[in-house]
Amino acid sequence: MDKNGGTLARGKIAPKLPSQRIWKTLVRYRLLYLMLIPGVAYYIVYHYFPMIGLLIAFKQYNLMSGIWGSKWVGFDNFRTIFASPDFPLLMKNTLLLSLYRIVFNMLPDVLLALILNEIRSQWFKRIVQTITYGPYFLSWIIVYGLVFSFFAPGAGLFTTLFRDWGWGNMDVLTNSDYFRTMLITTDLWKSTGFGAIIYLAALGSINHELYEAAVVDGAGRWRLLWHITLPGIRQVFILLLILRIGHIMDAGFEQVYIFLNARVYDVGDILDTWIFRRGIEQMEFSVPAAMGVFKSVIGLVLVLGANKLAKKVDGSGIW
């Protein structure tokens, strides 16, 4: 008899309820689910539970009162941000630096990977890889120390040579005209080698039979590159582009904060450095927390929009 009171036809099996199917799946794959518990617990404890701190953005936070005891102010902290005279400049600097990183730092990764992929001498290829990968493992403090030793005003190696040769004073670290160029150049030197690893992995996954068939048809090096190699890494490029667009509001806090000085605030001060000054140096937590929420929302919207656009144009995205 079925749940409505009728009898089931002879030879037919009653359909299982959703709860029964779920329970059967849990029992069948119980070992896999047990292995999943530590990872889920990690994300709950260290990623989702701390999101309670987002309430600080909507409160007049006081350390002594705590999150729950602080006064609720709603969107006042966001109004403070948008009314600040520094906000347009911070947004401009953040977006420009992020766009420069996307435009000038992604293409060199692809180019280096393509060059390394064409090198047939393994010993030479390993040497080039070691040289280009090495800077990635240096901290920005060390990178800044190297840059400072070359371009320190009045005492750097290059600035001293320029002065001694009668070419005038070289002002790089404290000149607004060169600050963004210096940031992008040092980031390019530091991260290009490591960024090429992902594209090398993608190149290694391309079916070599496609190259062999194209060579038989008379295709040359450029034809192989244009019709097989580049389409083979296109999806990886789109994936990394979407991820970078999602982080467009970051602009590389660690590098910018280390290189930043008072004479280049007009071109180098970004949202993250402003948050650091207000939150850590001035011990004002509510407004920086609101800025963090604003950045997260914008990043989420950009990721969703870029993923949808990529699906329409190329048919592939993150999900």
Side-chain angles (χ1 to χ4, degrees):
M1 181 176 292
D2 60 13
K3 63 181 180 180
N4 295 322
T7 58
L8 296 173
R10 182 175 298 177
K12 291 186 178 180
I13 301 175
K16 294 182 178 179
L17 297 175
S19 59
Q20 293 176 330
R21 291 197 299 267
I22 294 174
W23 177 251
K24 184 177 179 180
T25 302
L26 290 174
V27 173
R28 182 178 181 182
Y29 300 105
R30 59 187 180 278
L31 295 179
L32 295 178
Y33 284 113
L34 286 174
M35 294 173 62
L36 188 64
I37 288 176
V40 174
Y42 167 79
Y43 276 95
I44 292 175
V45 173
Y46 293 104
H47 289 266
Y48 288 95
F49 184 73
M51 291 179 68
I52 297 174
L54 294 177
L55 291 174
I56 295 175
F58 303 93
K59 292 195 171 189
Q60 188 177 349
Y61 181 68
N62 185 284
L63 282 174
M64 302 302 297
S65 302
I67 296 178
W68 306 112
S70 299
K71 179 183 177 182
W72 181 271
V73 295
F75 290 95
D76 288 351
N77 294 321
F78 294 91
R79 296 188 186 97
T80 301
I81 292 172
F82 299 140
S84 173
D86 297 330
F87 182 73
L89 180 63
L90 295 172
M91 284 293 297
K92 175 186 175 182
N93 293 338
T94 301
L95 294 176
L96 280 178
L97 285 175
S98 296
L99 290 175
Y100 288 160
R101 291 178 192 275
I102 292 175
V103 174
F104 296 108
N105 286 19
M106 288 195 68
L107 294 180
D109 295 351
V110 177
L111 182 60
L112 178 61
L114 294 175
I115 293 174
L116 291 174
N117 189 58
E118 294 295 325
I119 296 177
R120 295 294 175 260
S121 178
Q122 292 300 316
W123 66 269
F124 182 72
K125 184 176 182 178
R126 285 194 293 268
I127 291 176
V128 174
Q129 287 177 320
T130 302
I131 294 174
T132 55
Y133 295 171
Y136 177 82
F137 300 99
L138 299 177
S139 68
W140 280 115
I141 290 291
I142 297 176
V143 174
Y144 178 75
L146 294 173
V147 174
F148 188 83
S149 65
F150 287 112
F151 298 104
L157 177 61
F158 290 157
T159 53
T160 302
L161 291 176
F162 264 60
R163 185 181 64 250
D164 294 344
W165 290 346
W167 293 350
N169 294 324
M170 176 187 289
D171 187 9
V172 175
L173 295 178
T174 58
N175 192 325
S176 299
D177 296 332
Y178 302 116
F179 183 74
R180 290 174 181 158
T181 303
M182 179 182 58
L183 290 180
I184 301 303
T185 303
T186 52
D187 185 55
L188 183 67
W189 173 76
K190 186 176 186 295
S191 61
T192 297
F194 188 82
I197 295 177
I198 300 176
Y199 294 106
L200 282 174
L203 289 171
S205 65
I206 299 176
N207 190 351
H208 286 276
E209 293 180 358
L210 297 175
Y211 290 103
E212 296 172 359
V215 170
V216 172
D217 291 338
R221 282 289 183 90
W222 291 108
R223 289 289 184 180
L224 295 176
L225 175 66
W226 185 257
H227 293 287
I228 299 178
T229 304
L230 292 181
I233 63 175
R234 180 177 55 195
Q235 293 186 356
V236 176
F237 183 85
I238 292 175
L239 171 63
L240 296 178
L241 178 61
I242 293 173
L243 294 177
R244 288 214 177 198
I245 290 176
H247 290 277
I248 202 170
M249 302 297 287
D250 293 336
F253 164 74
E254 185 179 357
Q255 180 196 16
V256 176
Y257 182 75
I258 292 172
F259 280 81
L260 193 64
N261 58 78
R263 297 186 62 180
V264 295
Y265 265 33
D266 56 332
V267 296
D269 198 16
I270 60 175
L271 294 175
D272 285 340
T273 54
W274 183 86
I275 290 173
F276 183 83
R277 290 198 305 272
R278 293 288 293 263
I280 304 300
E281 296 179 359
Q282 300 179 19
M283 299 295 289
E284 184 181 352
F285 300 104
S286 296
V287 175
M291 181 70 85
V293 173
F294 168 73
K295 285 179 49 184
S296 300
V297 172
I298 296 298
L300 176 62
V301 172
L302 289 174
V303 167
L304 294 177
N307 185 70
K308 187 174 182 180
L309 181 62
K311 282 187 174 181
K312 285 187 176 181
V313 174
D314 188 64
S316 63
I318 298 180
W319 61 87

